[in-house]
């Protein structure tokens, strides 16, 4: 895949000021009687990023940060409350009918977290994998469809005989392989992966991650990878975005993020990774918990837990913009150069 | 690429092998009462179904009736006729044969109304659960209102309306369909509620979201994806409902607003025979009554067993 | 209750066997495992799903779901057998001498009662205190586990706490009667990574202060690295390797442990490909003869298919692998794989 073509220069996906709000107010009658205001959950509150063709962008963060909601916005399971998503330059909001949306749906697919819930337990595996083919009428001849399904099964490391079985006859790792086969059957360019290995054992996770990397290389796929596991993200990403309470706080190349984390939350997250090298590194104590997303703190959402917060941080929400040291950061302290030198938590081990 | 598991089975077993090997069939084998109930049900159903061919007489062929045979008691009492095992009514009709024909009608109405209620209830439940919002609210409120009335009353109401709309002759002709409609309409709610609840759960599962991402048409999603996963409890409800439907129809016929005496069901027979109870010809009403009880009871027992067998928490292990 | 002599293990598990009778035969979920926990030490029990680690914990504390049952072996707490005790006796040991922390704080706490009431009830069951003393003890415990404004929050319901706070309450509950041993089954799996770090630190500190031993069951090697003194790696119902945590993690000896450590992504090195172990753990009804790992082992040889290895002493660890048996080099050289 040549990097020189103009097509490669245009990002395959661009999210601008993306936001999604959920109205979780109590029923109208209850609100009137108890005198309560409307409750709006700002799951995603203004997120900007672009994904280049062939790269893997990961979104990482803890519960409530909105990364899964971003994934669902990108594939069209939710409509944005504000902002826009453009796929190859086409604003998805302009595709307001099923007929217009179908050709675009063929080009991107999603892999879900729960290998047990993402496959219909009543369908045979071959039918599950063939569904995108049938839905988009890519092939119509039954024999051709069957051949393609067999090919896909082999591709993901299963055997064609497995097509006759039901999902419950497979282990978690094998089911994720089936999910991947299904996602690939419509020949997509872009895969959104929502925590695809979080529910798997670590040795199975290694198999699936290796498989995904191989497929990306062979098929030229672009991935949007959602995870809460920083080690997995380090292994699979080209660029990483860190989210907190619905906002992007940092976005950088993967090596840069791990070697020189800038935002205080990124530093805290990296510090919280268990020390498998058993180097006995000192850890700064982690403070507080993620606040209630229904009632986020004023100004910078991270200020109650931030050791570097000042008055401005409590008042003013920081903008997500390029940082002096590279990448994008939303932090007043970074902008004001108030922070100590960023350093890697675990210095990289160089090959002997 | 990774290798396949060494213990993966080579071919998937066929459907009959899966059924015979299943936990459900195992629990069936382990329960003598259930096997008995199944046997009785089978006997009743085949007797009713094959009535035109295996009944000893045809009670509705007016030409074959002989008033001299009237009011004969059952065969184990003196003054009986061995041709009429369970006796005859006041017009010379063989009670056993009328029971078989009557059961046929009862079963027909029972099955048809259950199927009608199931189709209506499941569809409404699916739509209600998936679409949500105002549609869901409207359907569920109608269901709630209907639930506050006893089923019999609703059946009576619908029956009464249709009776008033049609002339007497027309009504007799269409009595069967009217009855199916009234009994069916009084029982759809339970299906709708159960399916709606299950649909709400399934709707949020990731395989449904995957289908939406793929771009599957909503109707196909509802019926090909969600329906197979919510249909389980429906089967149990249907079995228990069958017994209820049979009894409801019998009640309506007993009250005189169901099947007419020209095409009687078991309920009609009980009604007609009731008049003769006091004059000592008890067999004309008791035997149809016993047949009704037997059928409803065995269907009910089967339904009970099915519910327990399909409940994963009560799985029989050893 | 006499104090155990210093050289006697607190918990001694000998040849424990847990079975599930099904209509298709007996499934052996834990197959003849032996280990001990010394007073005050943290033993990690790590393994992937299906390895039998949670069942081991459940068996020790007497909370096996029927039809699962202990089919063999002994569990001794300070020299006394506890696996053959009746329900009432086991109930008294639970809480007083063995505490438990489970994975999901939502279901470990009764949503209908305030946490104060649950704490006081547990305290009064096991310790001789009146209501006021128990309440004061409960408030002190809550402060110890880091619940702010403990004297107010003691009257709150579980749903009014966040996940991390709830887990702290569960820890308080487990430690309130000062047990000698706590069995923690995946205590941090359901929590965010930053909260995980807090909870692990808390658990370590409290157990050190109270001298409580911990059996920490988890699938997360990182948690083990931070918390445990020794670790047992389980595979298909058996212990594959057991030893000091530093040895097992930095110099694993059993091929499974080697593969496991290799497949964990680390942030110190970006490999193109993670080391992976092909295949997956066998199901309980399909465990191969000999060593259960032999279909997937990169260093398998003939003996592995035939005989099942017991734990062999290797340096400071014990490993269940024929590679470390002194006879094996001879056997391997004599024309096996």
């Amino acid at each position: 895949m040549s990097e020189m073509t103009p097509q490669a220069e245009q990002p395959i996906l661009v999210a601008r000021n993306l936001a999604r709000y959920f109205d979780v107010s109590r029923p109208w009658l209850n609100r009137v009687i108890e005198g309560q205001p409307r409750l709006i959950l700002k799951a995603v509150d203004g997120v900007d990023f672009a994904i280049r063709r062939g790269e893997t962008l990961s979104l990482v963060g803890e519960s409530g940060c909105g990364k899964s909601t971003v994934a669902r916005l990108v594939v069209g399971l939710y409509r944005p409350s504000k902002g826009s998503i453009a796929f190859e330059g086409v604003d998805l909001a302009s595709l307001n009918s099923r007929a217009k949306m179908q050709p675009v749906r063929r080009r991107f697919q999603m892999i879900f977290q729960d290998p047990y819930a993402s496959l219909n337990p009543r369908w045979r595996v071959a039918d599950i994998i063939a569904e995108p083919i049938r839905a988009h009428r890519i092939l119509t001849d039954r024999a051709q469809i069957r051949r393609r399904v067999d090919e896909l099964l082999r591709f993901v490391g299963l055997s064609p005989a497995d097509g006759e079985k039901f999902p419950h006859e497979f282990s978690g790792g094998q089911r994720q392989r089936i999910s991947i086969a299904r996602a690939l059957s419509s020949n997509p360019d872009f895969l959104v992966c929502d925590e695809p290995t979080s529910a798997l054992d670590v040795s199975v996770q290694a198999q699936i991650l290796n498989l995904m990397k191989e497929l990306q290389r062979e098929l030229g796929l672009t991935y949007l990878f959602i995870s809460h596991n920083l080690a997995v993200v380090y292994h699979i990403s080209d660029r990483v975005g860190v989210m907190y309470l619905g906002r992007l706080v940092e976005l950088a190349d993967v090596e840069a993020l791990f070697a020189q984390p800038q935002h205080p939350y990124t530093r805290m997250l990296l510090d919280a990774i268990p020390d498998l090298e058993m180097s006995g590194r000192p850890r700064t104590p982690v403070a507080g918990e993620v606040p209630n997303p229904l009632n986020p703190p004023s100004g910078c959402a991270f200020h109650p837990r931030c050791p570097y917060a000042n008055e401005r941080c409590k008042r003013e929400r920081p903008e997500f913009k390029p940082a002096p040291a590279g990448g994008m950061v939303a932090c007043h302290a970074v902008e004001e150069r108030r922070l100590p030198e960023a350093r890697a938590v675990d210095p990289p081990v160089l090959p002997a | 690429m990774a290798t396949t598991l060494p213990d993966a089975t080579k071919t998937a077993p066929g459907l009959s092998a899966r059924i015979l090997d299943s936990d459900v069939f195992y629990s069936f084998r382990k329960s003598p009462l259930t096997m008995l109930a199944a046997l009785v049900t089978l006997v009743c159903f085949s007797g009713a179904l094959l009535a035109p061919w295996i009944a000893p007489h045809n009670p509705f062929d007016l030409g074959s009736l002989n008033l001299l045979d009237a009011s004969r008691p059952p065969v184990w009492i003196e003054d009986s006729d061995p041709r009429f095992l369970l006796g005859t009514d006041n017009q010379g009709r063989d009670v056993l044969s009328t029971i078989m024909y009557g059961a046929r009608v009862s079963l027909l109405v029972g099955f048809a109304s259950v199927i009608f209620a199931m189709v209506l209830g499941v569809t409404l439940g699916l739509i209600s659960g998936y679409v949500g919002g105002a549609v869901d609210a409207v359907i569920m409120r109608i269901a709630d209102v209907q639930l506050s009335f006893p089923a019999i009353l609703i059946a009576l109401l619908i029956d009464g309306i249709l009776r008033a709309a049609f002339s007497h002759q027309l009504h007799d002709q269409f009595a069967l369909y009217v009855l199916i409609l009234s009994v069916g309409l009084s029982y759809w709610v339970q299906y709708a509620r159960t399916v709606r609840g299950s649909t709400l759960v399934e709707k949020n599962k990731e395989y449904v979201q995957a289908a939406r991402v793929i771009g599957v048409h909503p109707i196909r999603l509802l019926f090909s994806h969600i329906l197979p996963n919510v249909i389980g409890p429906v089967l149990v409800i249907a079995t228990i409902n069958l017994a209820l439907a049979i009894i409801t129809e019998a009640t309506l016929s007993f009250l005189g607003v169901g099947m007419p005496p020209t095409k009687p069901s078991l309920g009609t027979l009980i009604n007609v025979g009731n008049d003769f109870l006091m004059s000592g010809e008890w067999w004309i009403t008791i035997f149809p009554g016993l047949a009704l009880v037997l059928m409803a009871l065995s269907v009910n027992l089967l339904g009970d067993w099915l519910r327990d067998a399909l409940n994963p928490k009560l799985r029989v292990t050893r | 209750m006499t104090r155990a002599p210093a050289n006697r293990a607190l918990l001694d598990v000998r040849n424990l066997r847990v079975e599930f009778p099904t209509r298709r035969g007996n499934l052996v979920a834990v197959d003849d495992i032996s280990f001990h926990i010394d007073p005050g030490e943290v033993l990690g029990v790590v393994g992937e799903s299906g390895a039998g680690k949670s069942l081991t914990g459940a068996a020790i504390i007497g909370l096996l779901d029927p039809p699962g049952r202990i089919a063999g072996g002994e569990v001794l707490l300070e020299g006394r057998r506890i696996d053959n005790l009746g329900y009432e006796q086991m109930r008294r040991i639970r809480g007083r001498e063995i505490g438990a922390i489970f994975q999901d704080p939502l279901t470990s706490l009764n949503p209908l009662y305030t946490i104060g009431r649950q704490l006081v009830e547990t305290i009064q069951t096991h310790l001789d205190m009146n209501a006021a003393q128990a309440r004061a003890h409960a408030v002190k415990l809550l402060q110890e586990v880091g619940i702010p404004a403990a004297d107010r929050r003691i009257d709150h319901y579980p749903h009014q706490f966040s996940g991390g706070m709830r887990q702290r309450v569960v820890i308080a509950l487990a430690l309130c009667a000062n047990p000698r041993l706590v069995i923690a089954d995946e205590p941090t799996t359901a929590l965010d990574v930053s909260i995980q770090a807090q909870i692990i630190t808390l658990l370590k500190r409290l157990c050190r202060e109270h001298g409580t031993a911990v059996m920490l069951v988890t699938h997360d090697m990182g948690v083990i690295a931070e918390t445990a003194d020794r670790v047992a790696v389980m595979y298909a119902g058996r212990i594959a390797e057991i030893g000091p945590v530093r040895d097992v993690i930095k110099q694993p000896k059993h091929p499974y442990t080697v593969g496991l450590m290799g497949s964990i992504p680390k942030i110190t090195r970006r490999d193109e490909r993670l080391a992976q172990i092909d295949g997956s753990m066998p199901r309980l009804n399909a465990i191969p003869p000999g060593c259960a790992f032999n279909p997937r082992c990169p260093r398998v040889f003939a003996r592995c298919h035939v005989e099942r290895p017991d734990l062999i002493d290797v340096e400071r660890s014990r490993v269940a692998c024929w590679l470390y048996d002194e006879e094996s080099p001879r056997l391997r050289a004599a024309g096996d794989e």
Side-chain angles (χ1 to χ4, degrees):
Chain A
M1 180 139 278
S2 164
E3 297 289 81
M4 297 306 200
T5 56
Q7 205 183 20
E9 284 164 9
Q10 184 202 51
I12 192 171
L13 190 94
V14 177
R16 254 187 258 286
N17 202 23
L18 193 58
R20 171 72 195 182
Y21 305 142
F22 293 103
D23 188 344
V24 294
S25 321
R26 305 203 59 207
W28 175 82
L29 201 59
N30 297 59
R31 269 191 290 133
V32 164
I33 293 176
E34 296 166 12
Q36 282 179 359
R38 289 191 93 91
L39 277 178
I40 308 282
L41 175 66
K42 296 189 179 174
V44 179
D45 194 12
V47 156
D48 295 272
F49 61 86
I51 309 181
R52 295 188 286 259
R53 188 175 290 274
E55 81 165 337
T56 301
L57 172 70
S58 291
L59 287 182
V60 76
E62 297 176 298
S63 50
C65 70
K67 56 193 194 297
S68 285
T69 313
V70 169
R72 280 161 173 75
L73 282 166
V74 166
V75 292
L77 280 175
Y78 296 144
R79 290 224 162 271
S81 309
K82 281 208 306 224
S84 71
I85 302 172
F87 183 71
E88 288 193 333
V90 177
D91 187 351
L92 289 184
S94 68
L95 305 170
N96 46 16
S97 75
R98 224 180 98 77
K100 286 195 220 164
M101 193 64 181
Q102 278 295 77
V104 178
R105 282 203 185 285
R106 199 180 74 70
R107 316 272 307 287
F108 53 69
Q109 280 300 324
M110 186 156 173
I111 300 172
F112 295 86
Q113 175 176 358
D114 186 347
Y116 296 91
S118 54
L119 304 175
N120 191 331
R122 305 274 175 190
W123 282 35
R124 284 186 201 274
V125 165
D127 295 321
I128 292 176
I129 296 178
E131 188 164 30
I133 301 176
R134 294 208 174 98
H136 295 282
R137 293 188 230 286
I138 298 172
L139 296 170
T140 43
D141 175 54
R142 283 184 64 163
Q144 276 184 323
I145 295 181
R146 194 53 228 249
R147 262 201 302 275
R148 173 88 177 122
V149 167
D150 289 349
E151 185 189 20
L152 286 163
L153 279 166
R154 266 189 288 256
F155 224 24
V156 298
L158 294 170
S159 92
D162 290 329
E164 291 308 304
K165 300 189 198 159
F166 289 90
H168 67 260
E169 303 179 60
F170 295 90
S171 68
Q174 291 173 313
R175 288 189 212 199
Q176 279 309 54
R177 291 174 192 265
I178 296 171
S179 282
I180 293 175
R182 173 177 64 187
L184 293 176
S185 68
S186 70
N187 284 321
D189 305 302
F190 181 57
L191 281 189
V192 177
C193 316
D194 187 3
E195 311 240 27
T197 57
S198 303
L200 304 175
D201 284 323
V202 74
S203 62
V204 180
Q205 171 176 272
Q207 294 175 6
I208 299 296
L209 289 176
N210 285 344
L211 175 66
M212 290 181 71
K213 275 183 116 173
E214 225 171 293
L215 289 172
Q216 181 177 39
R217 230 186 8 251
E218 284 186 38
L219 301 174
L221 297 168
T222 309
Y223 288 148
L224 173 62
F225 197 93
I226 312 288
S227 179
H228 66 275
N229 185 331
L230 280 154
V232 167
V233 161
Y234 183 65
H235 181 73
I236 198 162
S237 326
D238 298 309
R239 286 191 305 141
V240 180
V242 180
M243 288 189 66
Y244 188 77
L245 273 189
R247 305 173 196 170
L248 261 178
V249 297
E250 186 165 353
L251 180 67
D253 286 343
V254 62
E255 296 284 4
L257 190 102
F258 280 79
Q260 287 178 309
Q262 296 184 66
H263 195 283
Y265 178 60
T266 316
R267 300 183 191 210
M268 189 189 87
L269 264 188
L270 287 173
D271 226 28
I273 300 175
D275 179 16
L276 265 174
E277 295 300 315
M278 309 217 59
S279 59
R281 66 171 145 91
R283 298 227 276 181
T284 48
V286 176
E289 297 192 0
V290 180
N292 186 350
L294 280 170
N295 197 9
S298 58
C300 172
F302 188 59
H303 82 250
R305 301 168 81 183
C306 184
Y308 310 104
N310 64 10
E311 278 310 306
R312 185 184 176 202
C313 302
K314 291 186 196 158
R315 270 191 341 256
E316 198 185 314
R317 177 176 158 167
E319 256 183 78
F320 187 62
K321 51 194 201 196
M328 312 260 288
V329 183
C331 178
H332 295 307
V334 167
E335 197 189 319
E336 297 160 9
R337 299 179 195 264
R338 269 195 289 123
L339 292 179
E341 181 70 33
R343 52 162 186 80
V345 170
D346 284 323
V349 170
L350 297 167
Chain B
M1 301 277 183
T3 52
T4 44
L5 268 186
D7 62 342
T9 48
K10 293 294 167 234
T11 48
L15 182 64
S16 52
R18 285 209 326 264
I19 290 182
L20 288 175
D21 198 35
S22 71
D23 289 329
V24 170
F25 193 65
Y26 180 76
S27 79
F28 180 75
R29 280 182 358 237
K30 283 272 149 179
S31 167
L33 184 63
T34 311
M35 293 185 13
L36 184 65
L39 189 65
V40 170
T41 312
L42 196 63
V43 166
C44 290
F45 280 22
S46 32
L49 218 68
L50 303 170
W53 297 278
I54 66 175
H57 306 90
N58 182 349
F60 304 112
D61 178 7
L62 293 169
S64 69
L65 296 181
N66 191 342
L67 273 176
L68 287 174
D69 296 321
S71 302
R72 291 236 173 254
V75 78
W76 56 87
I77 299 178
E78 63 168 274
D79 198 28
S80 65
D81 188 329
R83 279 182 304 155
F84 310 113
L85 281 174
L86 294 178
T88 58
D89 70 358
N90 66 326
Q91 292 190 329
R93 280 192 281 248
D94 175 31
V95 169
L96 178 60
S97 306
T98 49
I99 288 178
M100 290 172 81
Y101 275 87
R104 196 155 186 252
V105 176
S106 290
L107 277 178
L108 184 62
V109 175
F111 268 109
S113 57
V114 164
I115 291 174
F116 175 66
M118 189 159 72
V119 168
L120 182 64
V122 168
T123 309
L124 284 179
L126 274 176
I127 294 174
S128 193
Y130 190 72
V131 174
V135 171
D136 178 29
V138 165
I139 296 179
M140 281 300 114
R141 294 300 80 76
I142 296 177
D144 285 343
V145 167
Q146 186 169 330
L147 271 183
S148 50
F149 293 98
I152 287 284
L153 223 53
I154 295 186
L156 271 172
L157 182 71
I158 298 174
D159 191 86
I161 292 174
L162 289 169
R163 203 174 267 275
F166 293 135
S167 75
H168 188 81
Q169 251 175 323
L170 211 59
H171 177 82
D172 269 5
Q173 234 186 328
F174 287 115
L176 190 67
Y177 304 104
V178 168
L179 213 47
I180 294 174
L181 193 69
S182 1
V183 175
L185 273 179
S186 40
Y187 286 117
W188 68 269
V189 174
Q190 201 177 1
Y191 298 100
R193 276 185 154 196
T194 313
V195 167
R196 171 185 178 271
S198 306
T199 306
L200 283 175
V201 170
E202 296 298 307
K203 183 168 77 157
N204 293 317
K205 286 205 178 147
E206 290 173 346
Y207 72 85
V208 173
Q209 293 182 338
R212 285 173 60 200
V213 172
I214 289 171
V216 170
H217 193 284
I219 295 205
R220 185 176 153 80
L221 212 160
L222 263 183
F223 287 99
S224 300
H225 274 282
I226 298 186
L227 181 60
N229 285 294
V230 302
I231 202 86
V234 168
L235 293 173
V236 177
I237 296 175
T239 322
I240 297 175
N241 223 331
L242 182 61
L244 261 179
I246 293 174
I247 301 234
T248 308
E249 181 277 321
T251 312
L252 287 175
S253 298
F254 181 78
L255 291 172
V257 294
M259 294 306 292
T262 46
K263 212 172 159 201
S265 70
L266 288 176
T268 323
L269 291 176
I270 300 174
N271 183 18
V272 164
N274 215 14
D275 295 334
F276 303 98
L277 199 58
M278 290 305 146
S279 46
E281 289 149 11
W282 51 273
W283 57 90
I284 308 179
T285 193
I286 293 296
F287 286 125
L290 277 178
L292 183 67
V293 166
L294 200 64
M295 245 175 32
L297 185 64
S298 46
V299 168
N300 238 336
L301 281 174
L302 264 185
D304 266 354
W305 160 77
L306 193 66
R307 190 191 58 229
D308 288 345
L310 291 178
N311 184 349
K313 301 202 175 106
L314 295 175
R315 279 280 153 78
V316 178
T317 44
R318 222 336 174 216
Chain C
M1 173 107 296
T2 53
R3 276 252 108 181
N7 58 357
R8 177 145 61 167
L10 173 68
L11 181 79
D12 200 354
V13 175
R14 295 180 189 166
N15 307 105
L16 182 66
R17 195 178 158 88
V18 174
E19 282 181 357
F20 281 86
T22 67
R23 60 184 176 95
R24 293 177 223 259
N26 249 351
L27 292 180
V28 182
V30 176
D31 193 357
D32 193 13
I33 65 168
S34 307
F35 63 92
H36 69 275
I37 304 182
D38 291 323
E41 88 167 326
V42 179
L43 174 75
V45 178
V46 74
E48 302 184 295
S49 9
K53 53 192 193 301
S54 289
L55 287 173
T56 307
I60 291 171
I61 203 171
L63 286 177
L64 270 180
D65 278 329
R69 53 164 223 257
I70 297 180
E74 302 177 331
V75 179
L76 296 109
L77 184 68
E78 289 188 323
R80 283 166 30 242
R81 275 190 73 171
I82 59 171
D83 56 289
N84 56 357
L85 294 180
Y87 180 79
E88 258 311 301
Q89 293 165 302
M90 201 59 214
R91 200 178 65 81
R92 265 180 261 137
I93 289 186
R94 237 177 273 141
R96 178 75 182 92
E97 299 179 47
I98 305 182
I101 299 171
F102 296 110
Q103 174 173 344
D104 189 354
L106 262 177
T107 48
S108 311
L109 295 171
N110 190 328
L112 296 176
Y113 297 128
T114 65
I115 59 159
R117 176 153 168 189
Q118 298 184 52
L119 274 168
V120 165
E121 185 181 41
T122 313
I123 292 171
Q124 288 196 292
T125 307
H126 297 292
L127 299 174
D128 189 18
M129 290 186 183
N130 65 29
Q133 288 170 322
R135 193 186 158 89
H137 187 53
V139 171
K140 193 166 67 72
L141 273 169
L142 287 178
Q143 285 167 340
E144 255 191 87
V145 297
I147 307 273
D151 49 348
R152 245 192 332 112
R153 302 213 71 184
I154 192 174
D155 292 319
H156 284 185
Y157 288 88
H159 68 262
Q160 294 172 282
F161 290 83
S162 68
M165 288 288 153
R166 268 197 289 262
Q167 199 64 312
R168 291 170 190 262
V169 172
V170 170
I171 293 175
L173 256 176
L175 292 176
C176 67
N178 234 333
R180 278 176 256 288
L181 171 69
V182 167
I183 297 184
D185 190 346
E186 308 268 15
T188 56
T189 306
L191 305 172
D192 284 325
V193 70
S194 58
I195 311 297
Q196 267 190 31
Q198 294 177 16
I199 298 294
I200 291 172
T201 316
L202 173 70
L203 197 59
K204 262 170 59 177
R205 180 174 62 83
L206 283 180
C207 293
R208 218 174 25 239
E209 282 175 15
H210 291 251
T212 318
V214 182
M215 178 174 152
L216 179 60
V217 174
T218 180
H219 68 276
D220 190 339
M221 248 339 180
V223 170
I224 298 286
E226 299 255 309
T227 330
D229 301 311
R230 288 190 306 134
V231 59
V233 178
M234 284 189 72
Y235 185 81
R238 306 257 300 157
I239 295 184
E241 183 168 350
I242 179 168
V245 70
R246 209 182 175 79
D247 290 2
V248 173
I249 288 185
K250 303 237 50 166
Q251 288 169 325
K253 301 180 180 56
H254 195 289
Y256 172 62
T257 321
V258 173
L260 198 62
M261 295 309 301
S263 56
I264 299 176
K266 298 170 197 55
I267 60 170
T268 49
R269 207 170 68 188
R270 244 165 88 87
D271 296 313
E272 185 45 47
R273 209 182 139 80
L274 288 168
Q276 70 178 52
I277 319 175
D278 289 341
S280 56
M281 195 172 322
R283 296 198 184 170
L284 290 182
N285 56 0
I287 297 187
C291 172
F293 190 58
N294 71 51
R296 310 167 69 192
C297 185
R299 301 180 64 188
V300 66
F301 57 101
R303 194 176 183 189
C304 308
H305 295 289
V306 174
E307 272 179 84
R308 205 177 62 178
D310 288 316
L311 288 170
I312 301 169
D313 289 318
V314 180
E315 292 169 31
R316 291 187 301 171
S317 309
R318 304 183 71 206
V319 185
C321 178
W322 290 128
L323 288 170
Y324 297 95
D325 185 68
E326 56 253 10
E327 294 206 344
S328 296
R330 218 175 13 94
L331 287 170
R332 297 189 71 183
D336 303 317
E337 275 183 41

